[in-house]
Amino acid sequence: MELKGKHVVLGVTGGIAAYKAAELVRLLVKQGAEVQVAMTEGASHFVTATTFQALSGRPVFTDQWDARMPNAMAHIDLSRQADLILVAPASADFLARIAHGLADDLLTTMVLARDCPLLVAPAMNRQMWENPATRRNAAQLLADGVGLLGPASGEQACGEVGAGRMLEPEEILDEVLTFFTPKVLAGKKLLLTAGPTFEAIDPVRGITNLSSGRMGYALARAARQAGAEVTLVSGPVALPTPAGVERIDVRSALDMQAAVMARAGEADIFIAVAAVADYRVAKAAEHKLKKDLGGVPPIELVENPDILAGVAALKNGPFCVGFAAESQNLEAYAQAKRRKKNIPLIVGNLIQDGFGGDDNRLVLVDDDGVHPLAPASKSTLARQLIEHIANLTGGN
Ligand code: C5P
């Protein structure tokens, strides 16, 4: 419920991507937002007002002369209630009209009369997007302080391929969440590790840890939404890269260490979330080990470097945060680990609570003591942890 209490006016203009706006309403409502849909006449050729009414739980407005507004000023009333006006999809014609301050229907009048920010998600054929007129209009809107979301490139409804596709509803939701998140880490460079490492035994076998990477990915996303420049060094996981995050894929602990050390000097904050394998195979076999050679293959293990301790030992290094996944004595073990690695903040979690799932329970241990966080989803906990880190590092 990251958008609880937020009023979003969702403008829908005429284009085939209007059908995706229905999903967007559902996602916004699921996050707790109050969504008021206003659609253009053109949009109603693609989706009906009934669809949006059912999903938003509110009557939809299309007409500036709508008799439901007692003062006959729908454009003023609707835009005054809004914390944000979001137009998705925004057609080429709509961009042209608002770039020139036209107000010839409810949506454009509302946009002109607004006193809240405006985000638009363009959606059109690639030629229309590339047309110099549209380029001029988009540039004008940017200069006017309007936020442009996308468009993305790819296959289009008309069968052509190129830039002009509307961002997917989940991506637009992400941008809306980013818009509403206080920028407590603005200007900070944040580096983090996530996921497991994989230590090869031979070309098809290896040693690894159980780690979905979800907590690290949720933190990367929350940090970027809080305004940080985020680099995510990731072991092998099956997760999409959070929007706006630079991701570097690695496999082994040594690869992860190299990727981290190459960037740690630049970082303001380092969060080690990865479940790094404690040991690697001294010499991985070049070819697949054969079973029929007789006997059990001897596998010699050597210790992996402690990446977090290495970063914590850097002179003028980043503010370091570690994770302690424990199955018992969480606070005592977390405290001991914090001292041993010489880091200012450690996040303890009980492995039976968090592994693989969406929920987790965390305790934060720093110089001031132990701060338990109420059990919540990984994205909520990630946001709370980012706020805690911002407070400790003097964020605003
Ligand atoms: O020592 P332990 O593995 O329990 O410590 C966990 C913390 O240290 C985590 O933050 C983990 O990402 C980090 N770590 C690391 N390199 C290792 C082992 C752990 O960065 N080789």
Side-chain angles (χ1 to χ4, degrees):
M1 296 294 252
E2 294 178 41
L3 296 174
K4 206 165 170 35
K6 303 292 183 207
H7 286 258
V8 178
V9 166
L10 176 67
V12 183
T13 73
I16 184 57
Y19 84 93
K20 292 192 180 178
E23 176 67 2
L24 180 57
V25 173
R26 199 185 66 78
L27 294 175
L28 290 167
V29 168
K30 203 169 147 204
Q31 289 295 334
E34 309 269 355
V35 181
Q36 173 62 63
V37 176
M39 60 201 294
T40 61
E41 220 272 308
S44 58
H45 290 280
F46 294 92
V47 229
T48 71
T50 316
T51 305
F52 291 120
Q53 177 168 345
L55 290 167
S56 67
R58 287 163 179 254
V60 170
F61 286 85
T62 37
D63 181 3
Q64 55 187 324
W65 314 118
D66 199 304
R68 282 171 295 184
M69 287 293 179
N71 60 1
M73 286 194 223
H75 61 295
I76 303 287
D77 283 11
L78 296 180
S79 71
R80 288 298 170 270
Q81 291 159 9
D83 296 305
L84 170 70
I85 297 180
L86 167 68
V87 182
S91 66
D93 173 68
F94 176 77
L95 296 183
R97 285 189 292 141
I98 60 168
H100 291 86
L102 295 187
D104 52 2
D105 64 4
L106 174 64
L107 196 52
T108 48
T109 314
M110 209 159 67
V111 162
L112 197 63
R114 79 187 187 281
D115 61 359
C116 66
L118 170 66
L119 298 178
V120 297
M124 65 198 74
N125 164 270
R126 69 183 175 87
Q127 294 286 18
M128 294 170 85
W129 177 246
E130 280 160 23
N131 189 294
T134 307
R135 307 250 50 84
R136 277 197 306 278
N137 294 332
Q140 184 60 55
L141 290 171
L142 277 178
D144 292 346
V146 175
L148 251 62
L149 312 182
S153 286
E155 219 170 275
Q156 303 205 302
C158 51
E160 296 179 11
V161 177
R165 270 171 67 98
M166 187 172 84
L167 293 187
E168 293 303 326
E170 288 80 8
E171 296 173 303
I172 297 177
L173 173 72
D174 237 33
E175 297 286 352
V176 172
L177 292 172
T178 301
F179 168 81
F180 281 116
T181 307
K183 299 294 173 274
V184 290
L185 289 183
K188 298 267 163 107
K189 285 198 168 124
L190 187 140
L191 178 66
L192 53 89
T193 62
T197 65
F198 181 90
E199 314 297 331
I201 294 173
D202 69 13
V204 293
R205 303 183 181 95
I207 301 171
T208 190
N209 281 327
L210 276 182
S211 167
S212 67
R214 282 206 182 97
M215 191 66 223
Y217 275 59
L219 269 168
R221 179 168 169 262
R224 121 93 184 160
Q225 290 181 341
E229 196 181 304
V230 181
T231 305
L232 170 61
V233 179
S234 175
V237 295
L239 293 172
T241 310
V245 166
E246 185 197 7
R247 167 170 165 182
I248 294 151
D249 283 318
V250 295
R251 215 159 83 117
S252 67
L254 288 181
D255 292 346
M256 185 174 274
Q257 183 195 35
V260 165
M261 293 318 272
R263 292 163 182 86
E266 299 249 290
D268 300 299
I269 297 162
F270 174 60
I271 314 181
V273 198
V276 183
D278 292 323
Y279 306 100
R280 69 177 179 278
V281 178
K283 201 173 174 326
E286 201 182 323
H287 297 287
K288 186 176 170 190
L289 296 175
K290 301 304 284 178
K291 224 179 354 192
D292 44 15
L293 289 184
V296 177
I299 297 176
E300 192 196 334
L301 298 178
V302 291
E303 205 169 327
N304 268 329
D306 187 321
I307 302 170
L308 174 56
V311 176
L314 289 175
K315 256 207 184 111
N316 300 320
F319 178 90
C320 287
V321 183
F323 269 70
E326 306 292 349
S327 56
Q328 55 176 345
N329 295 339
L330 183 58
E331 283 173 25
Y333 284 157
Q335 268 293 13
K337 204 164 279 186
R338 188 173 87 93
R339 280 193 219 101
K340 185 170 147 240
K341 300 202 186 222
N342 195 21
I343 54 175
L345 172 63
I346 196 146
V347 184
N349 70 311
L350 277 176
I351 48 181
Q352 51 270 46
D353 282 342
F355 264 51
D358 277 328
D359 282 11
N360 208 351
R361 191 164 11 181
L362 301 180
V363 291
L364 312 186
V365 185
D366 59 21
D367 282 345
D368 291 335
V370 177
H371 318 267
L373 300 181
S377 69
K378 286 182 178 171
S379 62
T380 301
L381 290 167
R383 217 180 40 242
Q384 291 171 342
L385 178 55
I386 289 298
E387 276 163 23
H388 195 82
I389 292 171
N391 285 333
L392 291 180
T393 55
N396 32 14

